[in-house]
Amino acid sequence: MDRQNFLAVDIGNSWYKALASDSGKVTEYQLPNAIALFDDEFYEVPYEDEDVIFEENLIVEVKSQAIKDRREIFYIGKGAAKQKDVSLTAFNNQKVDEDRTYLLLFGLAGYHAALQQIDEDEVSYTIDQLAVSLPTTQYKERKSKLKERLIGTHTILFHKVPGLSEPKELTVKIHIEDVIVGAEGACAYLGLTRDQNTLEVKNGELVKETKKGVIIGDLGGDSVDFVGIKNNKPVASVEGESFGINQFLDHIIQKVSKNELYRFDSRAELEEKLAAGQSEWYVEPFAGVKKDISKYIIPQLKSMAFKYLEHFDRVRSSSGEIKGAVRYIAVGGAAKLAQKQILEAAVKWSERGRPIELVFPEDMEKLNVLGLMILAKMNHIKKEKGNSHAISVKG
């Protein structure tokens, strides 16, 4: 297994988080879920290539059976987030049907492949096992279609690549041998309980608690996915909800633009500011002028936290299969950003006689992608050995 290439991608509505394992060497990536049409007329030619960071200048053209419109060229990720026509995810984003899913995923995979063969003009890279995630609401019905679109060979053309001679183009062919799809939230449980290297159980106490029931609430950009775990297996009847931090981020961006005359490039810019802590909650609409925007941020985070607990309470009350759960776990990037507000909201729920004592695990924002990498490795072992090794979360 050590000589194989694995790629795990959490295709979130705010960020794409990825782990790549090449012959055991692990690399981590994080890309904003943002695309923008590329127009050569408006491309600002740098004075020196050394001024350009490749990761922030990903201009891609994708040739793949998974893409409906193969003629356009796009900025993706950090480069897209800085463009005026940046496209962010719409509410209730249907990931399997959206071209943006494949542009970002193949672009990210191609970028990783290019870094492995930096001196080549044409790169060929094989992913032995790709693991990706879907919200629970899309997982059951769409996972087969997602797998069909991803398996095969895809060509990614990178334009304006820094460090390359004219025409500054790099061709990467990605060969995806196999795909496994995991449900968001359920993958986080794998990340919580299994070791990345040995794949053995590392948190026996949590596994024991699943005999009575554990509920995981994965709060993301546009969905909150609840997974009930019973006897170390996901309970499939707990459905996800179309609710996440993006609607609150959009509200903050609109308020700041209207009242402080500062326009964020994207949600990613605001999220990075939130993650840096309240001491960084300022904007500079004009040079030398600082505006405190915490008065726009805090009410939105409080509102989101309260609604998150409302969803949690509804799920634990409505599902008979996980009734009597003994542990509630908050995961996801949005839960980490609003941890303080969620804890404050939980106090009010206790005062109302409906306590929700949430656990906030370490690396809560990365648990899905950690679980996906475990899923990829477990599935590969299963295929190689051809045995019936139990995988409780599979596509």
Side-chain angles (χ1 to χ4, degrees), residues 236-254:
S237 61
V238 183
E239 296 294 340
E241 296 284 348
S242 297
F243 168 80
I245 195 173
N246 283 349
Q247 58 188 286
F248 299 93
L249 295 177
D250 289 345
H251 200 76
I252 295 168
I253 289 170
Q254 289 168 9

Side-chain angles (χ1 to χ4, degrees), residues 211-225:
K211 289 181 180 177
K212 293 184 178 178
V214 169
I215 303 176
I216 295 174
D218 181 9
L219 183 55
D222 282 331
S223 70
V224 54
D225 296 279

Side-chain angles (χ1 to χ4, degrees), residues 24 61 99 230 348 359:
E61 183 179 357
D99 274 358
K230 215 43 182 313
K348 293 184 179 178
V359 173

Side-chain angles (χ1 to χ4, degrees), residues 268-283:
E269 182 189 354
L270 174 57
E271 281 193 83
E272 287 178 339
K273 195 173 280 293
L274 295 182
Q278 192 165 351
S279 62
E280 298 299 319
W281 292 357
Y282 292 89
V283 294

Side-chain angles (χ1 to χ4, degrees), residues 44-154:
E44 295 183 14
V45 179
Y47 289 108
E48 300 288 347
D49 263 8
E50 287 77 8
D51 297 334
V52 181
I53 300 171
F54 187 23
E55 185 183 3
E56 298 177 1
N57 195 60
L58 297 179
I59 301 168
V60 303
E61 183 179 357
V62 175
K63 306 295 184 186
S64 164
Q65 84 280 356
I67 305 286
K68 295 169 190 165
D69 188 348
R70 305 175 194 174
R71 296 168 298 175
E72 302 288 0
I73 303 174
F74 294 90
Y75 283 101
I76 62 168
K78 293 180 179 179
K82 296 176 182 176
Q83 306 304 312
K84 290 181 179 177
D85 64 341
V86 59
S87 166
L88 305 172
T89 57
F91 191 62
N92 198 24
N93 174 32
Q94 295 299 303
K95 296 175 182 177
V96 178
D97 297 327
E98 302 277 352
D99 274 358
R100 66 181 302 128
T101 299
Y102 306 98
L103 289 167
L104 280 155
L105 203 158
F106 295 146
L108 176 59
Y111 171 62
H112 169 71
L115 296 185
Q116 308 312 303
Q117 302 173 41
I118 196 69
D119 297 326
E120 304 290 336
D121 292 334
E122 291 194 9
V123 172
S124 180
Y125 180 80
T126 297
I127 299 171
D128 297 283
Q129 184 69 60
L130 171 67
V132 293
S133 59
L134 283 176
T136 52
T137 46
Q138 300 176 37
Y139 170 76
K140 293 178 187 173
E141 305 293 332
R142 314 308 304 280
K143 64 180 179 182
S144 297
K145 189 174 182 182
L146 180 61
K147 288 174 66 173
E148 287 173 10
R149 289 191 172 188
L150 292 175
I151 290 174
T153 298
H154 316 278

Side-chain angles (χ1 to χ4, degrees), residues 171-308:
T171 301
V172 178
K173 285 189 182 295
I174 297 288
H175 312 280
I176 299 177
E177 299 289 336
D178 193 23
V179 176
I180 188 164
V181 182
E184 293 170 5
C187 291
Y189 177 71
L190 275 181
L192 268 172
T193 54
R194 296 271 179 168
D195 183 87
Q196 282 290 311
N197 296 314
T198 66
L199 308 183
E200 298 294 329
V201 171
K202 67 175 183 180
N203 191 339
E205 184 181 348
L206 181 58
V207 172
K208 282 183 183 177
E209 289 180 338
T210 66
K211 289 181 180 177
K212 293 184 178 178
V214 169
I215 303 176
I216 295 174
D218 181 9
L219 183 55
D222 282 331
S223 70
V224 54
D225 296 279
F226 293 98
V227 177
I229 309 292
K230 215 43 182 313
N231 296 318
N232 201 29
K233 292 182 179 178
V235 180
S237 61
V238 183
E239 296 294 340
E241 296 284 348
S242 297
F243 168 80
I245 195 173
N246 283 349
Q247 58 188 286
F248 299 93
L249 295 177
D250 289 345
H251 200 76
I252 295 168
I253 289 170
Q254 289 168 9
K255 286 279 188 183
V256 171
S257 176
K258 179 180 178 182
N259 298 317
E260 308 298 346
L261 305 179
Y262 179 87
R263 183 177 177 81
F264 283 94
D265 286 335
S266 66
R267 294 173 187 144
E269 182 189 354
L270 174 57
E271 281 193 83
E272 287 178 339
K273 195 173 280 293
L274 295 182
Q278 192 165 351
S279 62
E280 298 299 319
W281 292 357
Y282 292 89
V283 294
E284 290 188 54
F286 310 104
V289 177
K290 279 193 171 183
K291 296 281 189 177
D292 182 357
I293 59 170
S294 58
K295 60 186 175 185
Y296 308 112
I297 294 171
I298 293 172
Q300 291 301 310
L301 293 183
K302 283 184 175 179
S303 176
M304 182 185 71
F306 204 82
K307 286 184 166 62
Y308 175 51

